[in-house]
Amino acid sequence: MDDIEAPNGQEGHRASISRRAFMAAGALAAPALAVAAATPSAAAPPAAAAPPAAAPASASVPPTTGAVAGPGHAAIALPRPAIPAVKSFSLVAGETYSGVVPLRIETDERLAEASAVQVTLGRYSRAARRVSPRVWVADDWDTTRKLADATQASPSNFLAWAQVQTTINGLEYVTDPIGVYTGNYDYGPLSNVGWDPKLDWAADYSSRAAFDASHDAEIVGLRYSRIVADPHNPRRNMLQAFPPDTADYGATGQPRFQAQSPSEWYEGNEAYVGFSIMVPERDSSSYLSPGFPHVELSRPGETNMHIAIFQMYGPQATEPSDYPSGRGAITIIDANRNSESDPIDRFHIDANQLNGGDPGFVVDFDYNRGKWTDIVLGFHMSADIKRGWIEVYLNLGDHEAVQPVPLFGGMLRLPRVTAWPQTSTPPVPPAYSDGVLIEGGSRRNRMDMQVYRSRSAYDLVVLNHTAHKIGPTVESVDPGSYRRR
């Protein structure tokens, strides 16, 4: 990678929130109890039951509230006290709520009275106030609004993760998170196509011309890429992308390399996308010493210094410009930091405005510098939170094949809005694409392999990838970088 020449000139192709890691202990399938047992943070409760398969040892799976764990380490279960702090909570796991919802908490009479209580929905907390010795109420939850900004309407139903924190005699008790749905939109009948053979696709890495020909859309920044032999597996090639800050900014004004898979994903489609990435060992963005940098701090709550390497995208809307804000990318894998406490050299999938109830990153994993990271994402495309889902599989070198990663609630298949709602009752505010009103079911979506960052953030960013493909099963798209041959 040291022999990349610093490119120059213009290319002619077209074109804050707390970051705490988190995995809820109470899955949606749990019995409909009023609340899980609350446990003081000084002595964390036991971890959730083990999922069918362990996550890769090198991946940082968000710990449960019932575990003490660090990145790459197994959770250590600690004893649960005999008496829960919270006797009842007005939200019930797995239930659907619409309109304005009261938030009521009752503490257990066998413990001393609480001195403070707060409710957390997603990443956002609200203090409760005492209305009787054992009963507390927090501000009502308007489920029609975004949790991140209550002045804006939520553009979708979503899954929110709720917790109650109680302070008793100086100790903080935290309930296991529960998942609840909002239900303010009716999308009517939606298709459920499942796997469609038209989605079957693979990028061709035999040469740069072949790579270009295997993509329907013109590759943005192809000039700043090359096909080279995989240094770890000489039987296959990889694409090395190195877009400089002087690259053509294109429609978005951001320098990037971007290769779009065929745009054949529609409402009801179900498929898996696999690819492998290798981040250079050199932590640098210098023209004279090219590599992949640790990301600098973005402004609070923003991504002006991030580097995105993959996205599920579509449909784009250009009018009205103020709603929905940031419409387009639904799932992004990127590196971004908003505070000095955020660790460096980490990729993640973060929340978005269609899934505003996330309590943290959906998944978070190491750069794994100098080695392949095999990634498989499973999607059921839907505007309906109760239909759409995402699965994540990783292999950072600890296994021969990708392994399922437990997501919020220990779920291997997480309910997720994976397509923009287009038709609903009541209607989502109108959206446009190239000046044309979008109507009907969710429009087609696509998957992009990319090196995408803000203008003037870095001089040069180098990333290697290979084995990008779409198929009907995990096995059909597993890059297999560590498979014995």
Side-chain angles (χ1 to χ4, degrees), residues 163-179:
Q163 281 184 288
V164 177
Q165 296 85 37
T166 307
T167 303
I168 300 175
N169 290 335
L171 289 177
E172 183 182 81
Y173 293 72
V174 183
T175 63
D176 291 338
I178 59 172

mmCIF file of all heavy atoms in Angstrom, residues 163-179:
data_model
loop_
_atom_site.group_PDB
_atom_site.id
_atom_site.type_symbol
_atom_site.label_atom_id
_atom_site.label_comp_id
_atom_site.label_asym_id
_atom_site.label_seq_id
_atom_site.Cartn_x
_atom_site.Cartn_y
_atom_site.Cartn_z
ATOM 1 N N GLN A 163 -35.923 1.998 29.707
ATOM 2 C CA GLN A 163 -35.349 1.605 30.993
ATOM 3 C C GLN A 163 -35.808 2.571 32.075
ATOM 4 O O GLN A 163 -36.133 3.726 31.783
ATOM 5 C CB GLN A 163 -33.823 1.642 30.952
ATOM 6 C CG GLN A 163 -33.149 0.468 30.283
ATOM 7 C CD GLN A 163 -31.640 0.587 30.390
ATOM 8 O OE1 GLN A 163 -31.035 1.420 29.730
ATOM 9 N NE2 GLN A 163 -31.038 -0.235 31.225
ATOM 10 N N VAL A 164 -35.775 2.098 33.315
ATOM 11 C CA VAL A 164 -36.038 2.955 34.469
ATOM 12 C C VAL A 164 -34.818 2.921 35.379
ATOM 13 O O VAL A 164 -34.301 1.846 35.701
ATOM 14 C CB VAL A 164 -37.279 2.490 35.253
ATOM 15 C CG1 VAL A 164 -37.488 3.361 36.493
ATOM 16 C CG2 VAL A 164 -38.517 2.510 34.377
ATOM 17 N N GLN A 165 -34.328 4.123 35.749
ATOM 18 C CA GLN A 165 -33.218 4.241 36.696
ATOM 19 C C GLN A 165 -33.761 4.811 38.003
ATOM 20 O O GLN A 165 -34.442 5.846 37.996
ATOM 21 C CB GLN A 165 -32.126 5.160 36.153
ATOM 22 C CG GLN A 165 -31.446 4.659 34.891
ATOM 23 C CD GLN A 165 -32.190 5.018 33.625
ATOM 24 O OE1 GLN A 165 -32.769 6.091 33.514
ATOM 25 N NE2 GLN A 165 -32.184 4.122 32.657
ATOM 26 N N THR A 166 -33.463 4.141 39.100
ATOM 27 C CA THR A 166 -33.973 4.538 40.411
ATOM 28 C C THR A 166 -32.807 4.686 41.384
ATOM 29 O O THR A 166 -31.934 3.805 41.430
ATOM 30 C CB THR A 166 -34.947 3.476 40.957
ATOM 31 O OG1 THR A 166 -35.948 3.216 39.982
ATOM 32 C CG2 THR A 166 -35.605 3.947 42.237
ATOM 33 N N THR A 167 -32.780 5.774 42.149
ATOM 34 C CA THR A 167 -31.741 5.979 43.153
ATOM 35 C C THR A 167 -32.331 5.768 44.537
ATOM 36 O O THR A 167 -33.292 6.450 44.933
ATOM 37 C CB THR A 167 -31.140 7.390 43.046
ATOM 38 O OG1 THR A 167 -30.632 7.584 41.723
ATOM 39 C CG2 THR A 167 -30.015 7.573 44.053
ATOM 40 N N ILE A 168 -31.760 4.798 45.279
ATOM 41 C CA ILE A 168 -32.226 4.471 46.635
ATOM 42 C C ILE A 168 -31.011 4.378 47.546
ATOM 43 O O ILE A 168 -30.094 3.591 47.274
ATOM 44 C CB ILE A 168 -33.012 3.140 46.659
ATOM 45 C CG1 ILE A 168 -34.244 3.229 45.758
ATOM 46 C CG2 ILE A 168 -33.413 2.779 48.094
ATOM 47 C CD1 ILE A 168 -35.010 1.917 45.632
ATOM 48 N N ASN A 169 -30.998 5.197 48.587
ATOM 49 C CA ASN A 169 -29.878 5.215 49.533
ATOM 50 C C ASN A 169 -28.534 5.354 48.823
ATOM 51 O O ASN A 169 -27.548 4.710 49.174
ATOM 52 C CB ASN A 169 -29.881 3.940 50.396
ATOM 53 C CG ASN A 169 -31.026 3.913 51.387
ATOM 54 O OD1 ASN A 169 -31.545 4.966 51.778
ATOM 55 N ND2 ASN A 169 -31.442 2.716 51.784
ATOM 56 N N GLY A 170 -28.520 6.187 47.793
ATOM 57 C CA GLY A 170 -27.274 6.471 47.090
ATOM 58 C C GLY A 170 -26.891 5.463 46.032
ATOM 59 O O GLY A 170 -25.899 5.667 45.319
ATOM 60 N N LEU A 171 -27.642 4.365 45.936
ATOM 61 C CA LEU A 171 -27.363 3.362 44.915
ATOM 62 C C LEU A 171 -28.310 3.545 43.736
ATOM 63 O O LEU A 171 -29.497 3.829 43.921
ATOM 64 C CB LEU A 171 -27.529 1.945 45.470
ATOM 65 C CG LEU A 171 -26.475 1.451 46.464
ATOM 66 C CD1 LEU A 171 -26.841 0.066 46.966
ATOM 67 C CD2 LEU A 171 -25.096 1.435 45.819
ATOM 68 N N GLU A 172 -27.782 3.375 42.533
ATOM 69 C CA GLU A 172 -28.623 3.487 41.339
ATOM 70 C C GLU A 172 -29.053 2.098 40.873
ATOM 71 O O GLU A 172 -28.219 1.224 40.639
ATOM 72 C CB GLU A 172 -27.867 4.196 40.205
ATOM 73 C CG GLU A 172 -28.725 4.402 38.960
ATOM 74 C CD GLU A 172 -27.977 5.060 37.820
ATOM 75 O OE1 GLU A 172 -27.238 4.347 37.110
ATOM 76 O OE2 GLU A 172 -28.109 6.287 37.658
ATOM 77 N N TYR A 173 -30.344 1.884 40.746
ATOM 78 C CA TYR A 173 -30.915 0.644 40.259
ATOM 79 C C TYR A 173 -31.395 0.874 38.828
ATOM 80 O O TYR A 173 -32.054 1.871 38.536
ATOM 81 C CB TYR A 173 -32.097 0.211 41.122
ATOM 82 C CG TYR A 173 -31.730 -0.200 42.539
ATOM 83 C CD1 TYR A 173 -31.349 0.733 43.496
ATOM 84 C CD2 TYR A 173 -31.784 -1.531 42.924
ATOM 85 C CE1 TYR A 173 -31.015 0.361 44.787
ATOM 86 C CE2 TYR A 173 -31.467 -1.925 44.216
ATOM 87 C CZ TYR A 173 -31.082 -0.978 45.138
ATOM 88 O OH TYR A 173 -30.756 -1.362 46.415
ATOM 89 N N VAL A 174 -31.078 -0.052 37.943
ATOM 90 C CA VAL A 174 -31.442 0.092 36.534
ATOM 91 C C VAL A 174 -32.177 -1.160 36.072
ATOM 92 O O VAL A 174 -31.665 -2.278 36.227
ATOM 93 C CB VAL A 174 -30.192 0.302 35.646
ATOM 94 C CG1 VAL A 174 -30.597 0.524 34.196
ATOM 95 C CG2 VAL A 174 -29.363 1.481 36.155
ATOM 96 N N THR A 175 -33.365 -0.997 35.533
ATOM 97 C CA THR A 175 -34.108 -2.152 35.031
ATOM 98 C C THR A 175 -33.502 -2.657 33.734
ATOM 99 O O THR A 175 -32.859 -1.911 32.984
ATOM 100 C CB THR A 175 -35.581 -1.796 34.759
ATOM 101 O OG1 THR A 175 -35.644 -0.797 33.741
ATOM 102 C CG2 THR A 175 -36.278 -1.296 36.006
ATOM 103 N N ASP A 176 -33.733 -3.914 33.449
ATOM 104 C CA ASP A 176 -33.369 -4.439 32.145
ATOM 105 C C ASP A 176 -34.181 -3.706 31.082
ATOM 106 O O ASP A 176 -35.371 -3.464 31.252
ATOM 107 C CB ASP A 176 -33.678 -5.936 32.055
ATOM 108 C CG ASP A 176 -32.761 -6.774 32.930
ATOM 109 O OD1 ASP A 176 -31.669 -6.299 33.266
ATOM 110 O OD2 ASP A 176 -33.145 -7.912 33.259
ATOM 111 N N PRO A 177 -33.567 -3.328 29.968
ATOM 112 C CA PRO A 177 -34.305 -2.608 28.924
ATOM 113 C C PRO A 177 -35.383 -3.496 28.296
ATOM 114 O O PRO A 177 -35.212 -4.712 28.161
ATOM 115 C CB PRO A 177 -33.221 -2.270 27.890
ATOM 116 C CG PRO A 177 -31.933 -2.385 28.645
ATOM 117 C CD PRO A 177 -32.144 -3.463 29.640
ATOM 118 N N ILE A 178 -36.485 -2.871 27.935
ATOM 119 C CA ILE A 178 -37.550 -3.565 27.224
ATOM 120 C C ILE A 178 -37.816 -2.848 25.908
ATOM 121 O O ILE A 178 -37.660 -1.636 25.799
ATOM 122 C CB ILE A 178 -38.846 -3.644 28.061
ATOM 123 C CG1 ILE A 178 -39.356 -2.242 28.422
ATOM 124 C CG2 ILE A 178 -38.628 -4.484 29.307
ATOM 125 C CD1 ILE A 178 -40.735 -2.236 29.072
ATOM 126 N N GLY A 179 -38.213 -3.599 24.891
ATOM 127 C CA GLY A 179 -38.527 -3.016 23.596
ATOM 128 C C GLY A 179 -40.021 -2.839 23.426
ATOM 129 O O GLY A 179 -40.803 -3.762 23.669
#
